[in-house]
Amino acid sequence: MITEVNRLCSDQQTLGTAAGTTASEAILDNVRQSPVYDGRLHFIVQVTNAPAGLTSLQAKIQTSPDNSTWTDLADSGAVALANIPANGVLLDVPIEDNFKTARYVRTTYTQVGTATTAAKVTAGEFTEGTPRYRRIFTSGAGFTG
């Protein structure tokens, strides 16, 4: 998979050991330049460390027109730790088909249970193709708002 660092919401983000909900360390701003890729583009949430003691993990991809009021775009549901393989993908949403966003995009993670070590996640836009050129966000070009 190929990505650009500016299109990641979380890059090996540590979630901590306690139960609760954590927002991604970065919020994507679709007004900034973003790459156009050859190939199919996906928004993926990958669990890079799922520690013992964690009962389940849930990921949501959210969007906002104003960076304060958030709406869910996709939800993994609560996934049991036993069902999350090493470097397992928790959520994979094809962007071209059903990922219409407002200006801002983030992810949230909800942990259930108390982990022995911190869970880690990586989330953002990924493709099997390579970036061709850069473009500026324009309303109606796969985005709303």
Side-chain angles (χ1 to χ4, degrees), residues 27-61:
I27 295 172
L28 302 182
D29 183 347
N30 290 316
V31 168
R32 295 183 182 180
Q33 292 182 335
S34 62
V36 173
Y37 296 95
D38 290 326
R40 194 153 177 82
L41 187 61
H42 292 255
F43 195 100
I44 295 176
V45 178
Q46 181 180 24
V47 180
T48 57
N49 180 41
L54 190 62
T55 305
S56 67
L57 183 61
Q58 178 178 9
K60 291 182 181 181
I61 302 169

Side-chain angles (χ1 to χ4, degrees), residues 47 50 54-59 75-85 89-91 110-112:
V47 180
L54 190 62
T55 305
S56 67
L57 183 61
Q58 178 178 9
D75 186 341
S76 69
V79 178
L81 177 67
N83 296 331
I84 302 174
V89 173
L90 192 60
L91 192 57
T110 302
Q111 298 183 114
V112 176

Side-chain angles (χ1 to χ4, degrees), residues 21-145:
T21 300
T22 306
S24 56
E25 59 195 357
I27 295 172
L28 302 182
D29 183 347
N30 290 316
V31 168
R32 295 183 182 180
Q33 292 182 335
S34 62
V36 173
Y37 296 95
D38 290 326
R40 194 153 177 82
L41 187 61
H42 292 255
F43 195 100
I44 295 176
V45 178
Q46 181 180 24
V47 180
T48 57
N49 180 41
L54 190 62
T55 305
S56 67
L57 183 61
Q58 178 178 9
K60 291 182 181 181
I61 302 169
Q62 298 179 320
T63 190
S64 171
D66 58 8
N67 199 15
S68 65
T69 304
W70 295 93
T71 303
D72 295 346
L73 290 174
D75 186 341
S76 69
V79 178
L81 177 67
N83 296 331
I84 302 174
N87 292 314
V89 173
L90 192 60
L91 192 57
D92 182 348
V93 180
I95 292 177
E96 296 88 353
D97 292 342
N98 58 359
F99 198 75
K100 304 298 182 201
T101 72
R103 179 174 174 178
Y104 300 98
V105 177
R106 74 174 184 184
T107 51
T108 61
Y109 313 100
T110 302
Q111 298 183 114
V112 176
T114 302
T116 55
T117 59
K120 290 187 178 183
V121 292
T122 295
E125 294 176 357
F126 292 86
T127 186
E128 292 178 7
T130 56
R132 291 184 293 147
Y133 58 89
R134 301 178 71 80
R135 64 175 166 82
I136 300 294
F137 165 84
T138 55
S139 185
F143 300 98
T144 60

